[in-house]
Amino acid sequence: MKYDFRRIEDKWQEYWAKNQTFKAENNSAKEKFYVLDMFPYPSGAGLHVGHPLGYIASDIYSRFKRLKGFNVLHPMGYDSFGLPAEQYAIQTGQHPAITTETNIKRYREQLDQLGFSFDWSREVRTSDPAYYKWTQWIFIQLFNSWYDQEADRAEDVSVLIERLSKEGNKNIKAACDDDTPVITASEWNAMEEEERERFLLKYRLTYLADTEVNWCPALGTVLANDEIVNGVSERGGHPVVRKKMTQWSMRITAYAQRLLDGLQTIDWPQPLKDAQTNWIGRSVGASITFYTEPTEENNSSYPIEVFTTRPDTLFGVSFMTLAPEHPLVEKITTKAQKAEVDRYVEASAKRSERDRMADVKTITGVFTGAYVKHPFSGEKVPVWIGDYVLAGYGTGAVMSVPCGDQRDYDFARHFNIPIPNIFEGVDISEEAFADKENTVIANSDFLNGLSYKKATAAIIKALEEKGIGKGKVNYRLRDAVFSRQRYWGEPFPVYYVNGIPKMIDAKHLPLTLPEVEKYLPTETGEPPLGNATDWAWDTKTNKVVSNDRIDHKEVFPLELNTMPGWAGSSQYFNRYMDPLNDEAIFSNEAISYWQDVDLYIGGIEHATGHLLYSRFWQKFMYDKGWVVKDEYAKKLINQGMILGTSAFVYREEGTNRFLSRGLTEGKKVDPIHADVSLVNASDELDVEGFREWRPEFKDAEFVKEKGVFQVGREVEKMSKSKYNVVNPDAICEEYGADALRLYEMFLGPLEQSKPWNTAGITGVFAFLKKLWRLYHSGEHGSFYLSENEPDQQALKTLHKTIKKVTEDIEDFSFNTSVSTFMICVNELSSQKCHARGILEPLIVLISPYAPHIAEELWSKAGHNTSVSHAEFPEFDEKFLVEDQKEYPISFNGKMRFTLTLPLDLSKEEIEKRVLGDEKTQSQLGGKSARKVIVVPGKIVNIVV
């Protein structure tokens, strides 16, 4: 009987959907196991063969845990707010919701055809108002909370208000804005309501502030650092500049130390932990305040605070460097330097922070004309600006010690700034000295002769005594900008009364997106929601009403920004536990049962985005008592990428002439991507197809070699921009989903990147056909299982397979399991094994990898329920215990043949059996054996 994979796969996909085979229960007596995939953004291009890699791995593990008796939650949904749908709306006028719905339908078709065991009853979409109602709810909770550093947890803002009314804020240790003034209880109580609200914004965990942001004029929105590549937007490649805007921010910095500490408690990849550790950037040192020297042009003295990890080098300061965006630059720059400073500031604004941090070779800067006074020596220290200093990192100002820091050293050398030496017995004529452990301070007044540690302690004590500094722990992590100037995102549940943000009561959520005529910013520069005609909040009816009714008494304007892409993904894993609950984000029963994610699979590219922000939200939720764990995922695996094998054609420079690959040597050529669908397995280009695909080259000359045009090949990231995408639909149509699943696992270790080669899938497809034939050995190829007891050889094959596959799945070494299955089927075929006792457990064993063929074989074996309800075969070591030995039989030291004998024979019994064997008699040729040497379990040697 033919292996009709199309019919089989359609049949079982329909069965799973109809019977909700993989639906999880929230009140099961079984032990829970929660497997999560990072949910996808549904793009218009759909899935390519690289996308399912992590999904296949998680599905194998989910199916395995079900077979092991667990109640498995394996949900799927869509991160469906996103810039691509909005850009398409700008270009076409089509509402992003329509585009998104179309794309989701396409994704669902592709996911279904791959046989994933998702619990689709729990599907979520971040753009669904029923879902983002709870994103808005969490935002309100953050707004109504502050971080108590003494309790080391978030508290309700009402607690803060009560303390302010009784004691002021002098003794309140809280995460708050740096410029928060110290006030007394009487000062607080004397404040008007509006003044109090502005003051509380300095403490709230989500707050409004003027922030340096990455502004992309072409996209009309703020971009996160991870949305910028090489100084341009990842989407569209548009220029990005730095500018100040009033934005919503999340006070993630309050959780910096807990985010660091939590990494020690979770089983996540070390490279990802390192990325988060570096991003948070904990450093210990001191904050020091310098004061600018008054001038004839400006008689004010401004404080400039710096943070340094080397306060012991304070006497080595020979200049100070401010970030070009530092608010004091404009105030302290002299008239003589203004033009040069302005030009530098403008140029710096066009470079992203990442570019500026990464560029360690280029030295640029401008002197402001201003000086600060050294806090101990009293010397004048020049103030420069340089784009290697970032306004958002630390204070945006650094004290520059060229003798102890190589970047400062290079800067000073470049601009001929003095480099005083404060290290005893060290030559700094060629480079800076950064070995703090071997430091002995010199030329530093009361620090002379002290080591790094002693000098640090002494200078911090002196700073604190003078009231100009203190010891401090600093973090590179900055509060997360939470506003985007986009339409297609979660609306903020916020309206404004005299410029003060007010929260819409949670019982009136969701606040849904309004209709707009245009998805671009308004002509006056407001975000796209500024185009809405009905976007005002009536506080009497608690409804959205026409903007014409805004009277600033009962009807007020709503927030025009929307939330960023990471908002909806920061709690989706908890919402999956109870996604249909309209009364709460999840029930106590659901969170108490599921608790956290046992296995999370996704890409490392989210290390400092989603995977950091979601940990922050989880810790906040934990503080408020809504979740039971302060880390939401016990184990995380970063799957590698499946890379594309790109095809290139080579055009001679300055011509419209293309050369076949073998003719390019010694020629100047421009490589141009060709669509891989136009290239056959022999790397030969369909020239006419290429001309049709790229009309600009329809008249080009193609120089062939031996009658064919050969392309070049290169392994790159699989991407539609590189025309190397392989569509899984085509693979499933030709080979089936089970073949695709097995092949993606067979390509190599899950965490590694590996190139796709469609030709390689034929081997896996051949294996599936051989597996099918193993079960169809009856008359005319019919299904057949023997009820006879299996022999020892078959039992050994089965149990070594059970052992290896179980270990592989538990170690996530899925690639070696596929090889093991191939060996097993080859051995059983050679043994002509048909025993139910062997072949039925094998069906269960392979079902996590190739579920469709497994379901069909399980059904044919007489079962009327899904193979997913079976029990995973248990390994029995006794079947691998060897009870026979294949002895090499030698004559005068030369091995002539082998003989298999029981291992429990004595020396005498072995000798008797060997001498009595007809092959031995043939070798002796009528002669007698003078001596027989027997080493039980090893060798037999006959001396003739």
Side-chain angles (χ1 to χ4, degrees):
M1 185 177 183
K2 183 184 175 186
Y3 169 44
D4 186 356
F5 62 85
R6 293 189 189 91
R7 179 192 62 79
I8 291 169
E9 292 178 359
D10 287 346
K11 170 186 173 181
W12 289 104
Q13 287 163 16
E14 184 180 337
Y15 174 91
W16 295 328
K18 181 180 178 182
N19 292 279
Q20 292 190 297
T21 304
F22 311 114
K23 187 173 182 179
E25 300 297 332
N26 280 1
N27 54 2
S28 173
K30 294 180 179 179
E31 186 178 350
K32 69 96 180 181
F33 200 88
Y34 184 177
V35 181
L36 181 66
D37 299 286
M38 289 185 185
F39 61 174
Y41 172 74
S43 70
L47 297 172
H48 61 60
V49 293
H51 291 128
L53 179 68
Y55 303 157
I56 296 169
S58 68
D59 196 60
I60 290 170
Y61 206 81
S62 297
R63 289 176 177 273
F64 169 69
K65 296 301 275 189
R66 284 192 197 94
L67 294 168
K68 291 293 246 179
F70 287 81
N71 179 30
V72 175
L73 174 56
H74 189 208
M76 179 50 73
Y78 304 97
D79 194 7
S80 48
F81 274 131
L83 193 54
E86 181 156 347
Q87 286 301 108
Y88 189 72
I90 291 169
Q91 294 161 9
T92 66
Q94 179 169 288
H95 196 288
I98 298 171
T99 307
T100 301
E101 182 62 39
T102 302
N103 294 348
I104 286 176
K105 185 179 178 183
R106 172 80 181 114
Y107 262 66
R108 178 63 187 270
E109 288 171 354
Q110 291 186 295
L111 292 169
D112 282 347
Q113 77 171 352
L114 290 169
F116 295 128
S117 61
F118 295 133
D119 179 356
W120 284 109
S121 71
R122 296 173 184 257
E123 178 192 321
V124 300
R125 304 178 183 186
T126 57
S127 59
D128 179 358
Y131 177 86
Y132 69 68
K133 165 184 178 176
W134 298 107
T135 310
Q136 293 173 334
W137 178 82
I138 293 172
F139 177 84
I140 293 171
Q141 309 312 312
L142 283 158
F143 182 82
N144 288 329
S145 300
W146 65 292
Y147 200 88
D148 184 337
Q149 291 178 331
E150 285 186 311
D152 202 18
R153 58 180 292 119
E155 299 279 5
D156 193 273
V157 78
S158 61
V159 176
L160 175 64
I161 292 171
E162 185 178 358
R163 289 186 63 182
L164 288 169
S165 67
K166 292 179 178 178
E167 58 183 280
N169 68 348
K170 183 178 180 181
N171 296 317
I172 296 177
K173 293 183 179 179
C176 57
D177 292 356
D178 290 336
D179 63 353
T180 304
V182 175
I183 61 167
T184 63
S186 58
E187 285 174 318
W188 166 262
N189 293 325
M191 287 182 185
E192 296 291 333
E193 181 63 25
E194 187 175 310
E195 190 180 358
R196 286 185 181 184
E197 286 299 324
R198 293 192 188 280
F199 188 83
L200 288 173
L201 280 175
K202 296 179 177 296
Y203 287 88
R204 295 183 187 275
L205 287 181
T206 186
Y207 60 95
L208 277 175
D210 289 335
T211 310
E212 282 281 339
V213 296
N214 302 310
W215 173 251
C216 181
L219 296 177
T221 190
V222 168
L223 299 178
N225 283 333
D226 56 2
E227 295 173 310
I228 302 166
V229 178
N230 298 325
V232 297
S233 63
E234 185 177 33
R235 175 77 181 175
H238 303 294
V240 176
V241 297
R242 299 284 294 171
K243 66 180 288 189
K244 272 202 169 182
M245 295 180 70
T246 300
Q247 302 279 291
W248 282 101
S249 288
M250 289 274 178
R251 209 178 295 277
I252 188 174
T253 50
Y255 286 84
Q257 190 58 50
R258 284 174 62 185
L259 288 167
L260 277 177
D261 295 342
L263 291 173
Q264 307 308 312
T265 68
I266 49 180
D267 182 9
W268 287 22
Q270 194 58 46
L272 190 149
K273 288 185 177 185
D274 291 344
Q276 289 203 355
T277 299
N278 293 335
W279 190 262
I280 296 167
R282 186 181 193 271
S283 51
V284 180
S287 65
I288 305 170
T289 302
F290 291 77
Y291 289 87
T292 59
E293 291 274 73
T295 64
E296 290 183 7
E297 296 175 14
N298 186 344
N299 62 5
S300 298
S301 179
Y302 300 102
I304 300 179
E305 184 187 354
V306 302
F307 172 82
T308 176
T309 58
R310 295 293 307 272
D312 59 308
T313 64
L314 181 56
F315 284 91
V317 173
S318 64
F319 63 103
M320 177 172 282
T321 315
L322 304 184
E325 308 88 358
H326 195 290
L328 281 182
V329 170
E330 189 175 352
K331 294 178 181 177
I332 66 173
T333 299
T334 62
K335 290 178 181 178
Q337 293 298 112
K338 188 176 187 311
E340 192 176 358
V341 167
D342 287 349
R343 282 194 297 272
Y344 189 82
V345 170
E346 184 180 353
S348 298
K350 295 175 182 177
R351 301 186 69 198
S352 74
E353 285 192 358
R354 282 190 174 179
D355 282 349
R356 286 161 58 177
M357 290 169 69
D359 186 3
V360 296
K361 294 181 179 178
T362 308
I363 300 172
T364 64
V366 176
F367 177 44
T368 63
Y371 293 85
V372 292
K373 184 178 180 180
H374 192 284
F376 288 97
S377 71
E379 292 179 4
K380 291 172 65 174
V381 177
V383 181
W384 288 66
I385 60 171
D387 67 3
Y388 71 94
V389 182
L390 305 176
Y393 175 47
T395 63
V398 298
M399 63 175 221
S400 301
V401 183
C403 68
D405 181 274
Q406 193 60 44
R407 195 158 195 175
D408 291 346
Y409 186 93
D410 295 338
F411 192 96
R413 273 283 184 88
H414 187 79
F415 291 109
N416 295 316
I417 300 171
I419 304 177
N421 189 356
I422 57 162
F423 301 121
E424 188 176 289
V426 173
D427 179 12
I428 59 163
S429 60
E430 296 297 328
E431 62 182 1
F433 179 72
D435 184 2
K436 62 185 181 184
E437 297 305 325
N438 291 307
T439 289
V440 177
I441 299 295
N443 303 319
S444 299
D445 197 2
F446 59 92
L447 300 181
N448 289 341
L450 297 181
S451 66
Y452 153 70
K453 287 184 179 178
K454 289 182 178 179
T456 297
I459 195 70
I460 289 175
K461 182 182 178 185
L463 288 167
E464 291 175 348
E465 286 174 352
K466 286 174 70 85
I468 55 171
K470 62 182 179 179
K472 186 179 181 182
V473 175
N474 202 44
Y475 298 92
R476 182 181 292 115
L477 181 69
R478 285 161 287 173
D479 285 341
V481 176
F482 199 67
S483 297
R484 296 293 184 270
Q485 292 64 46
R486 297 176 186 162
Y487 172 78
W488 193 231
E490 297 91 343
F492 284 93
V494 176
Y495 63 94
Y496 288 90
V497 178
N498 296 326
I500 299 294
K502 300 286 185 179
M503 298 295 116
I504 291 172
D505 194 298
K507 65 186 177 185
H508 304 304
L509 300 178
L511 176 67
T512 58
L513 279 169
E515 295 294 324
V516 294
E517 283 190 18
K518 293 188 297 182
Y519 301 99
L520 285 166
T522 66
E523 291 179 1
T524 55
E526 293 174 321
L529 289 185
N531 293 309
T533 55
D534 295 337
W535 198 237
W537 187 251
D538 188 328
T539 56
K540 196 170 184 181
T541 63
N542 292 303
K543 290 182 179 177
V544 175
V545 296
S546 170
N547 296 352
D548 295 338
R549 293 184 52 192
I550 294 174
D551 59 9
H552 299 288
K553 294 177 182 177
E554 290 183 350
V555 180
F556 300 93
L558 283 159
E559 171 67 65
L560 299 181
N561 289 308
T562 53
M563 298 185 194
W566 56 268
S569 64
S570 291
Q571 273 290 303
Y572 78 112
F573 38 86
N574 286 331
R575 183 62 179 167
Y576 274 141
M577 298 177 187
D578 200 7
L580 303 180
N581 191 335
D582 193 47
E583 300 302 315
I585 188 169
F586 40 72
S587 68
N588 287 331
E589 177 192 45
I591 194 70
S592 297
Y593 177 74
W594 293 111
Q595 297 202 7
D596 56 6
V597 176
D598 294 282
L599 174 64
Y600 196 11
I601 296 183
I604 195 171
E605 66 272 16
H606 302 289
T608 56
H610 155 65
L611 289 171
L612 188 62
Y613 300 135
S614 54
R615 291 182 61 225
F616 157 47
W617 278 32
Q618 180 76 3
K619 289 182 184 299
F620 168 71
M621 299 276 280
Y622 179 78
D623 287 351
K624 303 296 280 187
W626 298 316
V627 298
V628 296
K629 298 285 184 73
D630 78 337
E631 291 287 349
Y632 67 86
K634 292 174 186 170
K635 184 176 182 64
L636 173 71
I637 294 177
N638 294 135
Q639 85 274 14
M641 278 192 280
I642 289 184
L643 303 170
T645 305
S646 300
F648 288 90
V649 293
Y650 303 97
R651 181 175 61 178
E652 276 194 275
E653 274 190 11
T655 73
N656 204 20
R657 188 168 182 253
F658 288 85
L659 303 178
S660 184
R661 181 185 60 207
L663 305 175
T664 59
E665 192 172 341
K667 302 284 179 65
K668 288 187 176 181
V669 294
D670 297 317
I672 296 173
H673 278 97
D675 195 311
V676 292
S677 66
L678 299 173
V679 182
N680 66 18
S682 300
D683 292 343
E684 296 167 1
L685 178 71
D686 174 359
V687 173
E688 293 310 312
F690 183 83
R691 291 183 201 272
E692 191 175 329
W693 175 59
R694 297 287 296 269
E696 67 269 37
F697 299 132
K698 67 177 180 171
D699 297 323
E701 178 186 359
F702 287 79
V703 183
K704 301 179 179 180
E705 48 183 325
K706 297 180 182 178
V708 297
F709 190 93
Q710 294 270 328
V711 299
R713 289 288 197 175
E714 190 174 317
V715 174
E716 300 182 288
K717 180 180 178 181
M718 192 172 283
S719 164
K720 63 180 182 179
S721 66
K722 301 181 188 301
Y723 307 106
N724 61 2
V725 166
V726 178
N727 192 318
D729 300 11
I731 302 297
C732 289
E733 177 63 27
E734 189 168 354
Y735 301 103
D738 284 343
L740 177 61
R741 290 168 63 107
L742 284 167
Y743 183 56
E744 293 218 2
M745 293 298 98
F746 186 58
L747 283 172
L750 177 62
E751 295 92 342
Q752 292 182 10
S753 294
K754 45 261 176 185
W756 175 269
N757 180 7
T758 301
I761 202 171
T762 55
V764 171
F765 186 53
F767 158 72
L768 286 171
K769 289 192 286 186
K770 190 166 188 177
L771 174 69
W772 183 260
R773 289 196 300 272
L774 182 63
Y775 290 82
H776 291 81
S777 58
E779 190 176 355
H780 306 301
S782 61
F783 184 86
Y784 173 67
L785 290 181
S786 164
E787 302 302 330
N788 295 336
E789 284 294 314
D791 61 27
Q792 287 298 115
Q793 204 175 7
L795 284 166
K796 180 180 177 182
T797 295
L798 173 65
H799 281 271
K800 73 178 181 182
T801 303
I802 294 171
K803 182 176 188 290
K804 183 71 169 71
V805 170
T806 304
E807 290 172 350
D808 284 348
I809 293 177
E810 289 175 343
D811 292 339
F812 304 97
S813 300
F814 304 115
N815 56 314
T816 50
S817 282
V818 180
S819 304
T820 301
F821 286 130
M822 292 176 174
I823 293 167
C824 175
V825 170
N826 284 340
E827 288 184 6
L828 294 177
S829 298
S830 299
Q831 297 161 14
K832 294 185 168 41
C833 175
H834 310 301
R836 180 183 291 273
I838 301 296
L839 297 188
E840 200 166 75
L842 180 59
I843 296 171
V844 182
L845 200 59
I846 202 170
S847 65
Y849 291 80
H852 305 90
I853 193 172
E855 289 279 21
E856 184 70 7
L857 295 173
W858 189 249
S859 174
K860 283 172 170 278
H863 300 277
N864 55 17
T865 58
S866 168
V867 71
S868 297
H869 302 312
E871 289 186 17
F872 197 81
E874 291 293 328
F875 166 64
D876 192 335
E877 193 172 5
K878 72 182 182 183
F879 295 112
L880 299 192
V881 175
E882 298 288 350
D883 58 0
Q884 292 187 316
K885 166 67 180 176
E886 189 176 43
Y887 282 91
I889 311 300
S890 300
F891 293 81
N892 293 336
K894 293 185 178 180
M895 202 272 283
R896 298 301 184 185
F897 62 88
T898 60
L899 190 64
T900 301
L901 299 171
L903 272 171
D904 58 357
L905 294 179
S906 67
K907 276 188 177 185
E908 292 74 18
E909 289 171 324
I910 293 170
E911 181 177 335
K912 184 178 179 181
R913 292 240 191 144
V914 171
L915 291 176
D917 190 86
E918 61 182 25
K919 286 182 280 188
T920 302
Q921 294 302 318
S922 175
Q923 286 290 332
L924 289 171
K927 297 178 183 177
S928 297
R930 285 169 45 203
K931 187 178 182 181
V932 180
I933 301 168
V934 177
V935 181
K938 292 189 176 180
I939 62 161
V940 177
N941 184 36
I942 300 170
V943 181
V944 180

